[in-house]
Amino acid sequence: MTSSPTSSDSSLEEEKFLKPEDVEECIPPKELEMMIEEKKVGTLDDFVTLRWYCMLVLLMAELTAFTATASSKVMVFAGATPTVVGCGGTPLNGCHELAAFRNGTNDCIPDLKYQFKSVQVEFNYVCDDAKKVKNTITVQTFGVLVGAAIFGQASDTFGRRKALLISTLGNAIFNWISAYSPDLFYFMVWRTMAGVFTGGVTVVQMVFMVENIPRKDRMWIQNSITWSPNLILFPFVAWLCHDWRTMSVVIAAASIATFFAVFLLEESPRWLIQKGRLAEARKSLIKIRKTDRLYDETFEKQLDEVLHVESEKHARSSKKAKKYTFIHLFCTWKMMAQSLTFVSGIMCTTFIVYSLMYNMEKLSGSLYWNLAIMGASRWIINILVSIADYRLPWFGRKMINQIAMVATLLALFIMAVYLYFGYEGQVMAIGTVAAVAMCSQLFIAKYMMVNELYPTAVRNLAVSLVSTMSRIGSMFSPQLFYLQQSSKIFKLQFQ
């Protein structure tokens, strides 16, 4: 996924797609002119280099990316529904034969076939009861939504580093506690609490990384250190764990490792400058420069000059600062259409991705290989799109969005036809991998367009709105399992 720039960072980017008349009802022309004029002022980019300190930042970024991926996708394995192959030693084929065999009187224990020892397997939630485990995903995802809102605000108020330290530590604690859950209720409670801190890790880690890496290297770094490559690593870790309790402990250990990695880093100098804490920013930048082994006698003089300019900019912007709300995203007809398009698009995309991923145990083949191939395909497509975006001037955001949308619809249509006629096999696995991989591009394209189309003053609000709607889509995606059962009943009625 693509991270959003912070307010201090995004205010330096060019408004290539913005016309003053598009936002005249929202932002006073003088204020817009002042923001554009400020972009000519020097920034801290000359002090951010791809050296030793940046390597520590990238190590932290990879650990947080794995932690966020594992914590968010844990229910792909921990919530995988097993297959009924017998009951009390009698061979059976599926839930329908189990219901007929029991016939209300036989209370035999089902014999299960599974690739990963999920919550359903351990607590014996099979057939219709398996939906109870799937329903906990909605509650857990709500925790992620709450955490993203809390820690997003906390990172802006108290600092990126502090928010990341607290969220990684909390994620470790509650993932570890959830490993000892005695039943489904406590599993849901502790996983939801872990989800709150997972939301914090997810929303802060990319912002913290982007603020500490060179601007020219951001695109390839964000496409290299992201969730897609970690979707290749995570299934291998799940295969080694084999059960949800061990996996929870491993995720807790990854969170602890992330905590110590963040502890070694400095607070984001950009955030410190944004808050007017110039003395702390100066101290932090000197430590970073020494870590990079680039410190000399002239550095502090250059740094003081840049900080002086930043101080004047901060004082001027503080006097003329204006509060913007989500209402400003709908204050013109064009922005209203824009916002509604992004909101509906991101919700549909998230709904598709997570409804497919949380049902992956139904696909033929290995659950581990299917998820790993999905991660690899997403990563490869990310890299190809990045190259095309860099090399081909005509390959813009709109074209990426259109190609990904058509490819996703085609994959879903083929899968729907295949299922309607009762076929199963590799086509379903290939279609699922293709749909999720292309939806990854829809995520990237939409977030990039949000960052480029909205004016600086309301850009973070726009990203926040789209991110919130994305998580709401993932909350309700598990409910598609009820539609699956309804479709079976509907089909039986017309046979």
Side-chain angles (χ1 to χ4, degrees):
M1 293 184 59
T2 308
S3 65
S4 60
T6 60
S7 55
S8 61
D9 185 41
S10 62
S11 64
L12 304 173
E13 298 174 0
E14 294 182 3
E15 299 284 352
K16 295 180 180 178
F17 298 91
L18 179 65
K19 296 178 182 179
E21 59 267 21
D22 293 339
V23 292
E24 60 187 0
E25 296 177 35
C26 300
I27 305 171
K30 290 184 179 180
E31 186 172 343
L32 181 61
E33 183 180 346
M34 183 194 75
M35 289 189 294
I36 296 175
E37 181 182 354
E38 283 185 347
K39 293 172 187 173
K40 299 177 183 178
V41 180
T43 67
L44 297 175
D45 286 341
D46 293 338
F47 301 143
V48 182
T49 58
L50 196 62
R51 289 178 65 87
W52 298 109
Y53 184 79
C54 193
M55 293 300 106
L56 292 176
V57 172
L58 297 184
L59 173 63
M60 176 278 304
E62 171 53 29
L63 287 171
T64 50
F66 175 79
T67 301
T69 302
S71 298
S72 301
K73 303 296 188 291
V74 64
M75 290 306 292
V76 173
F77 295 100
T81 303
T83 302
V84 176
V85 296
C87 195
T90 302
L92 298 173
N93 185 20
C95 293
H96 294 294
E97 291 191 9
L98 175 65
F101 181 74
R102 283 178 165 178
N103 198 23
T105 58
N106 193 336
D107 294 329
C108 63
I109 299 176
D111 302 321
L112 305 175
K113 179 182 178 182
Y114 55 89
Q115 299 182 52
F116 185 89
K117 191 175 181 181
S118 62
V119 175
Q120 287 97 318
V121 175
E122 181 167 338
F123 296 143
N124 198 29
Y125 286 91
V126 298
C127 299
D128 289 340
D129 289 338
K131 295 176 183 177
K132 296 177 182 178
V133 179
K134 300 292 185 181
N135 284 338
T136 67
I137 299 175
T138 298
V139 182
Q140 294 176 43
T141 311
F142 178 74
V144 176
L145 176 63
V146 172
I150 293 174
F151 283 96
Q153 182 63 47
S155 71
D156 284 340
T157 304
F158 303 107
R160 321 294 192 209
R161 184 173 177 270
K162 287 181 181 178
L164 206 48
L165 286 171
I166 294 173
S167 58
T168 51
L169 183 60
N171 192 54
I173 291 172
F174 284 103
N175 267 291
W176 182 78
I177 293 175
S178 70
Y180 300 93
S181 302
D183 53 37
L184 181 61
F185 174 77
Y186 283 102
F187 173 79
M188 179 186 68
V189 170
W190 302 131
R191 279 295 311 158
T192 302
M193 292 301 300
V196 172
F197 293 97
T198 298
V201 174
T202 302
V203 79
V204 180
Q205 59 106 357
M206 270 295 182
V207 175
F208 188 60
M209 181 188 76
V210 166
E211 290 184 341
N212 285 280
I213 59 178
R215 184 182 301 276
K216 64 183 178 63
D217 297 305
R218 287 176 186 173
M219 177 60 75
W220 72 264
I221 287 176
Q222 289 182 71
N223 278 317
S224 301
I225 302 178
T226 183
W227 287 28
S228 294
N230 284 285
L231 277 178
I232 305 173
L233 176 62
F234 178 51
F236 178 69
V237 174
W239 177 75
L240 292 175
C241 294
H242 188 64
D243 66 85
W244 66 271
R245 293 186 186 274
T246 305
M247 180 184 284
S248 297
V249 173
V250 169
I251 295 174
S255 295
I256 289 295
T258 305
F259 173 84
F260 285 110
V262 177
F263 188 79
L264 295 174
L265 300 175
E266 300 292 323
E267 179 58 85
S268 168
R270 296 183 188 276
W271 178 83
L272 290 171
I273 292 173
Q274 178 188 349
K275 294 298 180 180
R277 295 160 61 171
L278 300 180
E280 294 178 51
R282 185 180 189 277
K283 184 178 179 181
S284 178
L285 285 165
I286 290 175
K287 287 184 178 180
I288 292 172
R289 198 71 170 181
K290 289 181 177 179
T291 302
D292 287 336
R293 300 179 183 178
L294 295 174
Y295 181 83
D296 56 32
E297 296 179 356
T298 63
F299 171 73
E300 291 193 31
K301 182 179 179 180
Q302 296 173 355
L303 178 60
D304 289 337
E305 291 176 356
V306 172
L307 291 178
H308 178 69
V309 174
E310 294 290 342
S311 176
E312 292 182 349
K313 287 169 60 180
H314 174 75
R316 181 172 53 178
S317 61
S318 297
K319 291 179 181 178
K320 298 187 177 183
K322 179 180 178 179
K323 293 292 184 180
Y324 296 98
T325 65
F326 288 107
I327 297 176
H328 290 90
L329 300 177
F330 303 89
C331 60
T332 67
W333 288 111
K334 182 173 181 177
M335 291 186 71
M336 180 183 295
Q338 206 169 264
S339 299
L340 292 176
T341 300
F342 285 126
V343 165
S344 58
I346 204 72
M347 286 187 67
C348 291
T349 304
T350 311
F351 203 73
I352 293 170
V353 169
Y354 283 94
S355 60
L356 291 174
M357 293 191 70
Y358 290 141
N359 200 26
M360 284 187 64
E361 71 272 10
K362 298 293 192 299
L363 301 177
S364 62
S366 169
L367 176 62
Y368 308 102
W369 276 112
N370 285 338
L371 189 60
I373 292 171
M374 183 181 295
S377 62
R378 285 178 51 168
W379 198 21
I380 291 171
I381 294 175
N382 285 353
I383 294 172
L384 292 176
V385 168
S386 298
I387 295 173
D389 182 68
Y390 183 78
R391 295 283 186 181
L392 306 175
W394 50 266
F395 193 78
R397 315 291 186 238
K398 187 176 181 180
M399 179 169 288
I400 296 172
N401 195 79
Q402 290 172 339
I403 293 174
M405 193 178 301
V406 170
T408 302
L409 289 173
L410 182 61
L412 292 175
F413 176 76
I414 293 173
M415 292 166 63
V417 173
Y418 213 69
L419 276 177
Y420 180 80
F421 289 103
Y423 296 112
E424 295 182 4
Q426 289 297 323
V427 171
M428 296 302 300
I430 294 172
T432 299
V433 169
V436 174
M438 297 313 298
C439 281
S440 172
Q441 298 311 305
L442 289 175
F443 279 120
I444 293 174
K446 284 178 170 56
Y447 276 100
M448 290 293 288
M449 291 171 75
V450 167
N451 281 299
E452 292 170 338
L453 286 171
Y454 283 90
T456 304
V458 294
R459 185 178 295 154
N460 277 358
L461 285 172
V463 173
S464 177
L465 176 65
V466 171
S467 299
T468 301
M469 294 300 105
S470 172
R471 293 183 177 93
I472 290 176
S474 64
M475 279 177 57
F476 293 102
S477 59
Q479 307 309 315
L480 281 183
F481 296 101
Y482 292 113
L483 295 180
Q484 181 188 29
Q485 186 65 28
S486 300
S487 66
K488 289 181 179 179
I489 297 173
F490 178 79
K491 190 173 181 180
L492 288 173
Q493 289 176 344
F494 287 90
Q495 284 182 346

